[in-house]
């Protein structure tokens, strides 16, 4: 799996989207052994061009990373939500950061589709926020993906 215990942030400390980028970028950079400053700069640049907020209190930040061996996914929960400039103007309460190797664009699209198909369904964001720890969050992903996929 591209999602590990280290990639699960049950309660983001971030109060803004920019702070969430820092926080999640730091988690990803540590796991991927890449430079956090460069990673977060690239995320911010991308965010300015194309906001990551989508409907249903969800944001999915994604980018390709040179030197990354395999895809890596980080997820953070925000009780009050963060403004990722979503089309429905609702704050994102579940924020994913998806990083893939530069030569794996197709795999990136598959991961993005799986996340959006799972979380766009009513009630899944709330279940994710209520999950007890990493294993609880994984259970929500598995159950919701199976029910809605």
């Amino acid at each position: 799996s591209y999602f590990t215990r280290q990639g699960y942030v049950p309660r983001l400390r971030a109060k803004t989207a920019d702070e969430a980028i820092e926080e999640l970028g730091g988690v990803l950079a540590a796991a991927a052994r890449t430079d956090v400053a460069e990673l977060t700069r690239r995320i911010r640049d991308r965010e300015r061009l194309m906001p990551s907020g989508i409907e249903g209190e969800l944001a999915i930040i994604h980018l390709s990373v040179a030197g990354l061996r395999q895809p890596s996914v980080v997820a953070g929960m925000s009780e009050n939500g963060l403004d990722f400039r979503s089309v429905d103007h609702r704050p994102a309460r579940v924020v994913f950061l998806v990083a893939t190797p530069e030569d794996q664009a197709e795999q990136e699209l598959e991961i993005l589709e799986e996340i959006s198909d799972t979380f766009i369904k009513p009630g899944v964001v709330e279940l994710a926020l209520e999950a007890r720890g990493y294993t609880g969050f994984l259970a929500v992903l598995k159950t919701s993906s199976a029910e809605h996929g």
Side-chain angles (χ1 to χ4, degrees):
S1 173
Y2 316 118
F3 186 64
T4 64
R5 184 176 302 276
Q6 292 78 21
Y8 173 64
V9 182
R11 297 288 172 254
L12 286 166
R13 293 183 307 275
K15 302 292 184 226
T16 66
D18 201 52
E19 289 174 1
I21 289 169
E22 282 286 325
E23 192 171 343
L24 296 173
V27 172
L28 181 77
R33 294 181 177 87
T34 190
D35 179 57
V36 68
E38 175 63 14
L39 181 70
T40 55
R41 182 194 61 76
R42 289 192 53 225
I43 294 169
R44 281 194 190 95
D45 288 349
R46 188 195 174 289
E47 197 65 26
R48 274 191 284 281
L49 294 173
M50 186 183 339
S52 298
I54 59 175
E55 323 179 58
E57 300 178 309
L58 179 67
I60 308 173
I61 305 162
H62 58 96
L63 74 162
S64 59
V65 177
L68 195 63
R69 291 192 214 272
Q70 65 181 25
S72 185
V73 177
V74 176
M77 309 300 118
S78 173
E79 192 63 41
N80 296 321
L82 303 162
D83 183 7
F84 275 91
R85 299 184 303 165
S86 70
V87 294
D88 65 1
H89 305 287
R90 294 169 66 192
R93 295 170 60 205
V94 177
V95 182
F96 281 92
L97 172 54
V98 177
T100 53
E102 288 182 314
D103 61 348
Q104 293 186 17
E106 188 174 304
Q107 195 157 28
E108 178 180 359
L109 291 175
E110 289 172 11
I111 294 168
L112 297 175
E113 183 179 22
E114 185 176 338
I115 293 169
S116 62
D117 284 354
T118 299
F119 278 87
I120 208 71
K121 305 298 182 191
V124 177
V125 167
E126 288 76 16
L127 290 172
L129 290 167
E130 294 167 3
R132 294 199 179 268
Y134 173 70
T135 53
F137 184 73
L138 283 183
V140 168
L141 292 180
K142 186 175 182 177
T143 303
S144 299
S145 181
E147 287 176 2
H148 303 298

